Amino acid sequence: MINNYLRTIKNADSDLFFLMAGPCAIEGEEIALRIADRIVNITDKLGIPYIFKGSYRKANRSKADSFTGIGDEKALKILEKVGKTFGVPTVTDIHESHEAAMAAAYVDVLQIPAFLCRQTELLVAAAETGKVVNIKKGQFLSAESMKFAVDKVKDAGNDNVFLTDRGNTFGYQDLIVDYRGIPAMKNLGVPTAMDCTHSLQQPNQSSGVTGGKPELIETIAKAAIAVGADGLFIETHPDPANAKSDGANMLHLDYLEDLLGKLVRIRKAIL
């Protein structure tokens, strides 16, 4: 399903963007299914192709006592259940090459975190599973330099790859989005998405907890659609203040439908 969809995007046959959305981390089965149910109802209504997102483990944490997950197999089985229950593809991130085959048994898309987008063994291992590979652009890299990450996946025999921008490092504790990067990465011949929530992070806070500016999610998303992003990545939760990971920059689930409705109108207006 997801392979065919990405081929459609490459051929510019779809008039809407795709959406990767869900909680930052898999916190439990009930809440994952509840979030997926809400988003599936919204995206079905608006005609937006949807991929459920959830990290089975959070490997990159500032503090040693931060939440990292509920157990790899348990979380991956929840992702699998979401996909089967709602008939949607799923995406999760992997952090080391040996995780690729394990995660590929449960999900449709393997995501390479931004900090790891230069890790050759990780990219090749993801490619060799035959799954779609989503590579997040490093905060420290230019859009054009993502060509080499794409080439690593394709040279390993997998053409099902796309890129996601998540902002650029701006000083020690902030990020900024350079929207020139979206057309630059599209020019590499792959679909390109915008991560509308992680690009608003304020990392490396002295408290050890990442901050964020969720009030600007709509701004980031509107601009991304206006410059031609093929897809959007949005972390969302019914109670961001109590989410176990990245609550500071997540969109409240109650706001998602209104935002997506606006974005659909923008997309149709610029076609």
Side-chain angles (χ1 to χ4, degrees):
M1 179 196 304
I2 186 67
N3 291 7
N4 290 336
Y5 178 66
L6 287 177
R7 280 195 288 270
T8 298
I9 290 292
K10 290 179 183 179
N11 294 329
D13 291 334
S14 177
D15 61 359
L16 281 184
F17 53 89
F18 65 92
L19 175 70
M20 292 176 282
C24 177
I26 297 298
E27 302 174 1
E29 182 176 306
E30 186 277 332
I31 192 166
L33 291 170
R34 179 153 52 100
I35 292 170
D37 183 56
R38 284 279 302 276
I39 302 176
V40 166
N41 286 330
I42 293 168
T43 52
D44 282 354
K45 184 189 303 183
L46 296 173
I48 298 171
Y50 173 51
I51 305 167
F52 178 83
K53 182 270 166 188
S55 296
Y56 74 90
R57 173 157 43 91
K58 301 302 297 182
N60 176 29
R61 303 286 85 189
S62 296
K63 297 166 63 178
D65 61 354
S66 295
F67 174 81
T68 57
I70 60 174
D72 291 356
E73 186 176 12
K74 184 177 180 180
L76 287 166
K77 285 183 175 179
I78 291 171
L79 282 161
E80 182 180 48
K81 184 168 183 177
V82 168
K84 289 180 176 179
T85 300
F86 298 102
V88 297
T90 53
V91 56
T92 198
D93 38 324
I94 59 172
H95 319 93
E96 297 184 63
S97 55
H98 70 265
E99 297 175 27
M102 175 184 68
Y106 297 92
V107 302
D108 304 281
V109 183
L110 298 178
Q111 182 169 282
I112 308 301
F115 280 133
L116 301 176
C117 69
R118 286 169 51 93
Q119 299 298 100
T120 302
E121 287 187 2
L122 181 60
L123 289 164
V124 171
E128 289 178 343
T129 67
K131 297 290 185 173
V132 175
V133 181
N134 173 29
I135 313 172
K136 285 199 169 182
K137 185 187 78 65
Q139 304 94 319
F140 45 87
L141 292 176
S142 70
E144 291 80 3
S145 66
M146 290 303 293
K147 172 186 184 303
F148 306 108
V150 171
D151 287 348
K152 289 175 184 179
V153 173
K154 291 188 173 183
D155 289 348
N158 189 341
D159 289 331
N160 294 309
V161 55
F162 66 102
L163 297 173
T164 298
D165 196 342
R166 53 99 74 230
N168 302 303
T169 300
F170 188 67
Y172 289 116
Q173 296 177 322
D174 209 355
L175 297 168
I176 192 167
V177 178
D178 180 355
Y179 285 98
R180 296 174 299 178
I182 292 177
M185 288 191 285
K186 284 168 65 76
N187 284 340
L188 300 177
V190 295
T192 299
M194 181 74 224
D195 183 338
C196 305
T197 46
H198 286 103
S199 60
L200 290 168
Q201 283 183 331
Q202 293 181 305
N204 306 317
Q205 300 298 307
S206 58
S207 65
V209 178
T210 296
K213 295 183 177 180
E215 67 275 9
L216 292 175
I217 291 171
E218 182 171 322
T219 300
I220 296 293
K222 285 178 174 177
I225 294 301
V227 300
D230 298 303
L232 297 176
F233 178 108
I234 298 175
E235 289 189 337
T236 183
H237 195 282
D239 186 11
N242 290 302
K244 294 184 181 295
S245 178
D246 278 2
N249 54 269
M250 295 170 79
L251 180 72
H252 196 293
L253 188 55
D254 288 346
Y255 303 153
L256 183 63
E257 182 169 1
D258 179 67
L259 172 60
L260 291 177
K262 293 175 181 176
L263 299 175
V264 167
R265 291 194 292 275
I266 292 172
R267 176 72 176 214
K268 290 180 177 178
I270 64 174
L271 287 176

